[in-house]
Amino acid sequence: MLKLRDVTAGYGKSEVLRGVSLEVHAGEVVTLVGANGAGKTTTLKTLCGLVKARSGSIEFDSLNLTSHAPHEIVELGITMIPEGRQLFPFLTVEENLLMGAYKTSARPFHKERMEKVLEIFPRVKERLAQLAGSLSGGEQQMVAIARGMMADPRLLVFDEPSLGLSPLLVDQMFDVVRTVADQGTTVLLVEQNVFHTLQIADRGYVLENGCITLSGTGRELLDNPHVRRAYLGH
Ligand code: ATP
């Protein structure tokens, strides 16, 4: 479904991605893990068109994404849930969700879509009329994911969804990611919570200094001595 080949990208004179290649197949949960500053967010921004790839190719269903603008990439079926939630605090939860149905093809069906999305998020359903800014951190994260689902994406891209959540909420959030995938949306997930992520991921890639240094199934990476030493602390 998604194929990055030797992608380089950066900011000004600094090159952050130095030849990233990875693949996501339909129906998978794939994770990209790595230390702070390794280039994880930059990888996601490059695939969503927010940062220009300097070389290499990014294919989504055989279409070359590097020649598309970010809004076109959304229309093609890729939605990113950015780090830090970024809800509209003075709008209600329902209004925030409707903002997610901006994709042209999703607009006429937003009512049906919302019903379907709310089945995954019963807690969000209870709070539709509440101002988004008054929700707890965990609830805001769920609304951000639900809003991303409103665009009816084929590939949902998460940037650090567990950031700032308590351990219990982290568990719930990972359960939601798995549910989203099991219901047919393919997931690419960037996380610093390496242990949890590899447990729910079908496959993963380790990004170090802008290069992919390891890849394998979630289980293989959890058992890998380098991953254990560098990211799991044992
Ligand atoms: P983290 O886990 O801390 O979010 P990351 O792996 O997602 O890290 P990136 O956010 O991709 O890393 O950043 C990679 C490098 O690019 C860092 O050195 C960062 O300072 C730099 N960088 C990111 N955004 C910009 C920008 N807009 N302008 C200049 N440099 C940037």
Side-chain angles (χ1 to χ4, degrees):
M1 178 186 243
L2 178 73
K3 231 185 230 179
L4 274 70
R5 281 279 162 271
D6 266 332
V7 172
T8 65
Y11 308 93
K13 284 192 180 137
S14 80
E15 186 159 82
V16 175
L17 305 185
R18 297 182 293 135
V20 171
S21 298
L22 61 85
E23 286 185 17
V24 182
H25 307 132
E28 281 188 317
V29 175
V30 172
T31 184
L32 183 61
V33 298
N36 285 113
K40 303 180 298 295
T41 302
T42 304
T43 304
L44 299 189
K45 285 186 173 165
T46 307
L47 101 87
C48 295
L50 299 168
V51 168
K52 269 257 160 277
R54 290 177 177 172
S55 64
S57 66
I58 305 177
E59 280 183 14
F60 183 62
D61 287 342
S62 311
L63 275 172
N64 180 5
L65 288 190
T66 51
S67 55
H68 286 79
H71 68 275
E72 293 169 334
I73 292 174
V74 173
E75 294 286 339
L76 289 172
I78 301 181
T79 293
M80 177 159 158
I81 302 193
E83 196 180 337
R85 302 172 194 118
Q86 301 179 11
L87 299 179
F88 298 97
F90 298 113
L91 295 182
T92 65
V93 168
E94 185 170 16
E95 287 162 342
N96 268 278
L97 291 181
L98 287 173
M99 292 288 198
Y102 47 77
K103 210 171 89 173
T104 320
S105 58
R107 260 181 239 147
F109 308 107
H110 65 266
K111 281 214 176 83
E112 294 90 324
R113 186 71 201 151
M114 194 179 296
E115 268 170 38
K116 228 174 144 186
V117 168
L118 289 175
E119 278 171 25
I120 310 176
F121 301 92
R123 295 273 303 274
V124 173
K125 192 173 181 175
E126 289 165 15
R127 288 164 199 280
L128 283 177
Q130 195 172 326
L131 288 186
S134 68
L135 297 174
S136 73
E139 289 163 351
Q140 288 192 28
Q141 183 59 279
M142 293 303 169
V143 174
I145 300 173
R147 184 179 60 181
M149 293 292 292
M150 285 294 292
D152 198 9
R154 297 186 42 231
L155 175 67
L156 199 55
V157 177
F158 290 88
D159 193 4
E160 307 253 2
S162 78
L163 201 73
L165 298 184
S166 67
L168 183 68
L169 289 174
V170 169
D171 285 345
Q172 285 179 14
M173 198 281 309
F174 280 112
D175 284 348
V176 163
V177 171
R178 198 59 250 188
T179 306
V180 163
D182 291 344
Q183 296 198 352
T185 308
T186 306
V187 170
L188 176 61
L189 175 66
V190 155
E191 259 297 336
Q192 282 194 48
N193 194 327
V194 176
F195 180 66
H196 262 93
T197 314
L198 290 178
Q199 279 184 321
I200 64 146
D202 297 304
R203 290 188 306 109
Y205 293 86
V206 177
L207 186 68
E208 293 176 340
N209 289 321
C211 297
I212 301 287
T213 52
L214 271 175
S215 65
T217 63
R219 187 72 253 167
E220 282 164 357
L221 291 177
L222 274 173
D223 292 338
N224 180 284
H226 173 67
V227 172
R228 294 177 73 88
R229 219 175 315 110
Y231 300 104
L232 302 174
H234 51 86

